[in-house]
Amino acid sequence: MFPTSSTFSSEAPRRLPRLSRAFFVALGLCICVRLVVWLVPDSIQRFHGGVNDRDFLAAEYNLRSTQPHLVVAVMGSSVLYEGVSASLLASELGLEPEGVASGAFRGGTAYDAVLMLRRDPGLFGQLHLLIIDAQLWQFNDRSWEFRSPHSYRYASLRDRMGIYEFGYRAVAVADWFWPFVSERRQLRQWLAGHKSVGPLLPPRRRQPNADFAPATQARRQSERFHFSVAMATAWHELLAFTEQRGVNVLLVQPPKRAAYQDWIDKNATAAYRQYLSFVHSLDGPGVAVHTWERPDEIGLSDDSFYDYGHMSEDGAARFTRFLATMIRREGLLLPAGRSPSQPVASP
């Protein structure tokens, strides 16, 4: 026998309150979880799982662990992670070993530096100089933006709203309200407990492969180029911070194998020039910008790299010494805005 209309009408009022209660219980649970994530983020992040932010946290640890002795910080991508030896740079500049630390890591950008400084505005302490790199791929929305998973954990809602591609923007915004990407773990991972955060491990230079051939990487990094306003904004935020703190910035584009730049010059001139124009527009008081394209410009050779642009151990040593000479020559360890001719006590 089918239910009559009177049966539906009598059951509907009872169902609605149940649905309303379930909705508000679910909403309350979501709000509670979001508040916990907001109030104790570092504690939750040390549970294994979720997004892979170990390199980010380890790089941050490197900088924090050298306070208050840190004089020079190296940040940015794997090109500087493998291309600058912190211990050698400290020795060349006459600093204590704790005077130089590297917070560069694979995929790192100026945006990651901004995220670290938002989390800990005192991260730079008494820093005199920040060395950081710029790369073409970092300014291509289609090859950088939110491809680093840890961005889902640390980005602000405003950052997420400014993402260029709709799909990534929708997921990132939704994750801010309900962290289904950044804080998702299996039960066994929660039960496993905290994992300690330690220093970033020394570079392990990999064997070259076809994916990291110069022409292949040049094509990938410039493909369907769309200039990243989000990255440009991050640079302005970073430099506003360093200016306020009196920190000098050495912004570099390290050279790559000649074949990389040859491909760019033939196939991606407009994209490269747009990126380069922005980078050089940042040059000014307290900010020194140097962009090198081919290794012979600074006394290196193609043999200084083990792939398209990551340096071998010998290449890194030579590049580090080159940077030390430049830093001394340009007086970049002096307080920002001071001329090298004006004496100042050694750090």
Side-chain angles (χ1 to χ4, degrees), residues 61-129:
Y61 178 95
N62 276 14
L63 300 176
R64 284 178 173 173
S65 63
T66 56
Q67 297 295 345
H69 309 287
L70 189 62
V71 176
V72 179
V74 181
M75 301 187 78
S77 73
S78 57
V79 169
L80 290 192
Y81 166 62
E82 299 189 3
V84 177
S85 166
S87 59
L88 178 58
L89 186 59
S91 175
E92 290 287 317
L93 293 175
L95 302 173
E96 295 297 322
E98 298 83 6
V100 180
S102 178
F105 62 96
R106 292 186 181 276
T109 68
Y111 178 64
D112 295 299
V114 167
L115 292 181
M116 290 184 190
L117 290 168
R118 287 179 187 171
R119 283 163 49 79
D120 182 3
L123 186 65
F124 283 176
Q126 302 301 313
L127 193 72
H128 286 215
L129 175 64

Side-chain angles (χ1 to χ4, degrees), residues 42 62 85 98 111 137 176 194 290 315 321 324 331:
D42 280 352
N62 276 14
S85 166
E98 298 83 6
Y111 178 64
W137 62 265
W176 189 89
H194 277 203
H290 294 277
R321 291 190 177 97

Side-chain angles (χ1 to χ4, degrees), residues 4 11 13 25 32 46 76-77 82 91 104 106 114 125 131 134 143 185 187 226 236 251 278 304 306 322 332 338 345:
T4 63
E11 289 182 356
V25 167
C32 288
R46 290 177 183 175
S77 73
E82 299 189 3
S91 175
R106 292 186 181 276
V114 167
I131 303 172
S143 67
R185 293 166 180 82
L187 178 60
H226 182 275
H236 286 304
L251 195 174
F278 173 80
S304 301
Y306 70 87
F322 175 85
L332 294 176
R338 184 188 291 268

Side-chain angles (χ1 to χ4, degrees), residues 3 7 12 21 39 53 59 69 80 169 220 241 250 264 273:
T7 303
R21 284 197 296 271
L39 290 171
D53 60 355
H69 309 287
L80 290 192
R169 181 167 67 249
R220 287 180 175 177
F241 182 92
L250 175 56
I264 293 293
R273 294 305 170 197

Side-chain angles (χ1 to χ4, degrees), residues 139-331:
F139 285 85
N140 187 355
D141 274 330
R142 293 187 170 96
S143 67
W144 165 73
E145 199 169 64
F146 266 75
R147 301 313 197 260
S148 298
H150 64 267
S151 299
Y152 283 103
R153 175 167 282 159
Y154 304 112
S156 68
L157 180 59
R158 182 177 181 178
D159 293 341
R160 298 165 194 249
M161 292 294 291
I163 294 174
Y164 172 67
E165 293 190 287
F166 174 78
Y168 284 97
R169 181 167 67 249
V171 172
V173 170
D175 181 77
W176 189 89
F177 288 100
W178 179 250
F180 66 100
V181 174
S182 55
E183 304 303 343
R184 174 178 289 181
R185 293 166 180 82
Q186 298 176 3
L187 178 60
R188 62 179 176 80
Q189 292 172 325
W190 287 114
L191 296 176
H194 277 203
K195 302 292 182 181
S196 61
V197 175
L200 197 63
L201 296 176
R204 293 183 298 171
R205 292 176 172 84
R206 303 174 181 178
Q207 293 297 319
N209 60 64
D211 288 342
F212 283 80
T216 303
Q217 280 299 305
R219 176 181 56 78
R220 287 180 175 177
Q221 295 178 7
S222 61
E223 199 167 36
R224 299 188 303 129
F225 186 86
H226 182 275
F227 184 81
S228 177
V229 174
M231 183 59 73
T233 301
W235 271 103
H236 286 304
E237 184 174 344
L238 175 61
L239 296 184
F241 182 92
T242 56
E243 182 180 11
Q244 291 168 3
R245 298 299 178 95
V247 177
N248 284 317
V249 178
L250 175 56
L251 195 174
V252 298
Q253 176 189 269
K256 302 174 181 66
R257 281 188 171 174
Y260 176 96
Q261 192 63 40
D262 289 342
W263 194 96
I264 293 293
D265 288 345
K266 293 178 182 177
N267 302 281
T269 304
Y272 182 70
R273 294 305 170 197
Q274 184 180 14
Y275 142 75
L276 210 60
S277 175
F278 173 80
V279 169
H280 280 282
S281 74
L282 301 175
D283 202 338
V287 182
V289 178
H290 294 277
T291 56
W292 305 288
E293 297 173 345
R294 292 176 170 81
D296 58 4
E297 295 175 23
I298 59 171
L300 301 180
S301 67
D302 274 1
D303 291 338
S304 301
F305 306 87
Y306 70 87
D307 61 14
Y308 79 98
H310 295 97
M311 295 182 190
S312 64
E313 190 170 351
D314 176 68
R318 293 165 66 185
F319 182 61
T320 300
R321 291 190 177 97
F322 175 85
L323 288 180
T325 300
M326 170 178 288
I327 290 167
R328 290 193 300 267
R329 183 177 66 242
E330 298 192 9

